[in-house]
Amino acid sequence: MNSIYGYTKEQLEDYFLSKGEKKFKALQVFEWLYVHKNSDVDSWSNLKKELREEIKKDFSFEVPKIIREERDTLTRKYLFELQDGEHIESVVMFHDYGISICVSSQVGCNMGCAFCESGRRKKVRNLEAYELVTQILEIENNLKERISSVVIMGIGEPLDNYDNVLNFIRIINDAKGLAIGIRHITLSTSGLVPKIYQLMQEKIQINLAVSLHAPNDEIRNKIMKVNQVYNISQLMRAIKDYIAVTSRRVTIEYVMLKEINDSKKCALELANLLHGLNIYVNLIPYNETSHINFSKSDAKTIKEFAKVLKEQGINVTIRKEFGGKISAACGQLRSKEVEE
Ligand code: SAH
Ligand code: SF4
């Protein structure tokens, strides 16, 4: 049985139309689920009893369970158990402007980036749309606070789970869903070029972040297997086209790996690659992990790298390091539970 939390409003409208009902029932259901956060169908007073029975028969309402929570001053990490016993993590970050959440999009990841903990564990399966939606719903219930922005930067490659991720975005963005502003939703991809083309046709104004991490194919081939399929020139063309079609600025993510991609030469080469584009670069201090032999660049090297980019007229920020003892800044979630 399909979980009701995986349905967009349009899909629920189709459901009600197929039952000979008016499509605005979908709106009422969305309000119960996401505004009142009430999944007790019997109490949905504006729907008649027979219809409530049908709904109970046709949908499941189960949500993944939070089985562990770790707290730090500015972050909280949640471990979820899914119905089939798999585990995923989400991280919440408290900012002065609100609360953001980093969600996982797959169980494991097949992209195999050399520096990434998530990729050490092969993809087991995609997450269903409802498993994405309920990460937010459950954590909002846990925090008793509203989450205002979402980054799809946890475990998994979101564009390798395209349809579910897109439905997830539609559900949380719906004004009668979780009403998370479209410009407060960021999707990070390792660079699946055909999917970037598909995404630009969707007419959704999300923020796109691309994990570039290297200024040339030689380095990128070594650290990101995906580059052997879609190289930098193909990726840059897709980014240019994305900007032209959507008129949106794209974020270029660049993880700073000591003596791999952090030299002044790399910075100049990167600036050259990005000149004149409506982008900004987010330098990510690498989170060292116990299993992988990459080291983080020194703070000074990162600052110098940023300075070179700035001098070349490239907008750049250095990502704030969250995590502390949780050691799970978004994008580097560890599969602790699996290893234990
Ligand atoms: N698969 C997508 C989204 C999830 S990873 C992607 O690769 O873009 C989110 C970001 O975290 C990516 O930029 C990824 O390269 C980065 N990342 C992975 N491991 C990291 C680590 N140990 N420290 C810092 N950033 C890391
Ligand atoms: Fe997958 Fe992203 Fe990690 Fe690469 S960096 S292995 S794409 S989660």
Side-chain angles (χ1 to χ4, degrees), residues 32-67:
W32 286 116
L33 292 176
Y34 300 113
V35 180
H36 306 302
K37 296 201 165 72
N38 174 352
S39 62
D40 175 14
V41 182
D42 292 323
S43 73
W44 294 1
S45 48
N46 52 5
L47 290 135
K48 59 180 190 287
K49 183 153 193 322
E50 299 76 54
L51 191 56
R52 297 199 301 253
E53 292 304 324
E54 291 280 300
I55 292 172
K56 284 198 293 189
K57 198 157 63 52
D58 291 337
F59 298 101
S60 90
F61 288 80
E62 261 175 84
V63 294
K65 278 192 297 288
I66 296 175
I67 57 167

Side-chain angles (χ1 to χ4, degrees), residues 109-113 115-119 154-157 190 213 224 331:
C109 182
N110 269 351
M111 308 310 293
C113 302
F115 51 83
C116 175
E117 188 80 16
S118 309
I155 299 169
E157 167 50 55
S190 59
H213 302 333
M224 298 181 77

Side-chain angles (χ1 to χ4, degrees), residues 166-191:
L166 264 280
N167 279 347
F168 159 65
I169 292 171
R170 293 188 183 103
I171 294 165
I172 62 171
N173 173 239
D174 198 293
K176 293 292 180 202
L178 290 170
I180 294 170
I182 199 74
R183 294 184 176 221
H184 295 239
I185 302 174
T186 301
L187 183 154
S188 171
T189 179
S190 59

Side-chain angles (χ1 to χ4, degrees), residues 172-209:
I172 62 171
N173 173 239
D174 198 293
K176 293 292 180 202
L178 290 170
I180 294 170
I182 199 74
R183 294 184 176 221
H184 295 239
I185 302 174
T186 301
L187 183 154
S188 171
T189 179
S190 59
L192 298 185
V193 166
K195 298 292 179 185
I196 295 176
Y197 279 98
Q198 195 177 341
L199 188 63
M200 69 181 86
Q201 303 303 332
E202 299 280 355
K203 307 216 165 18
I204 50 168
Q205 301 274 302
I206 52 164
N207 303 311
L208 178 68

Side-chain angles (χ1 to χ4, degrees), residues 102-106 109 111 113 115-119 152-159 187-191 209-213 224 252-257 282 284-289 292 294 319 329-334:
C102 172
V103 295
S104 298
S105 59
Q106 300 179 312
C109 182
M111 308 310 293
C113 302
F115 51 83
C116 175
E117 188 80 16
S118 309
I152 312 170
M153 286 191 190
I155 299 169
E157 167 50 55
L159 294 187
L187 183 154
S188 171
T189 179
S190 59
V210 177
S211 297
L212 187 61
H213 302 333
M224 298 181 77
I252 302 293
E253 295 169 280
Y254 195 99
V255 64
M256 295 293 291
L257 302 165
N282 196 209
I284 311 176
Y286 182 60
N287 243 306
E288 291 179 4
T289 85
I292 298 174
F294 283 97
R319 183 175 298 172
C330 179
Q332 194 246 338
L333 301 174
R334 300 181 182 201

Side-chain angles (χ1 to χ4, degrees), residues 121-240:
R121 229 191 124 205
K122 285 267 158 287
K123 177 174 97 176
V124 176
R125 65 172 175 87
N126 285 328
L127 292 189
E128 301 289 333
Y130 86 90
E131 292 169 321
L132 282 148
V133 172
T134 49
Q135 288 176 56
I136 301 183
L137 211 54
E138 282 303 281
I139 291 177
E140 283 194 342
N141 283 339
N142 178 284
L143 292 173
K144 309 262 179 304
E145 280 193 82
R146 200 179 163 267
I147 287 171
S148 59
S149 58
V150 174
V151 297
I152 312 170
M153 286 191 190
I155 299 169
E157 167 50 55
L159 294 187
D160 182 41
N161 184 14
Y162 191 92
D163 293 340
N164 289 325
V165 166
L166 264 280
N167 279 347
F168 159 65
I169 292 171
R170 293 188 183 103
I171 294 165
I172 62 171
N173 173 239
D174 198 293
K176 293 292 180 202
L178 290 170
I180 294 170
I182 199 74
R183 294 184 176 221
H184 295 239
I185 302 174
T186 301
L187 183 154
S188 171
T189 179
S190 59
L192 298 185
V193 166
K195 298 292 179 185
I196 295 176
Y197 279 98
Q198 195 177 341
L199 188 63
M200 69 181 86
Q201 303 303 332
E202 299 280 355
K203 307 216 165 18
I204 50 168
Q205 301 274 302
I206 52 164
N207 303 311
L208 178 68
V210 177
S211 297
L212 187 61
H213 302 333
N216 59 50
D217 286 329
E218 198 195 332
I219 300 176
R220 199 163 190 266
N221 280 335
K222 281 192 196 134
I223 55 176
M224 298 181 77
K225 276 202 312 213
V226 64
N227 199 66
Q228 292 160 20
V229 185
Y230 308 111
N231 65 19
I232 292 190
S233 79
Q234 292 166 302
L235 182 56
M236 288 313 300
R237 168 109 327 265
I239 292 171
K240 277 178 201 153

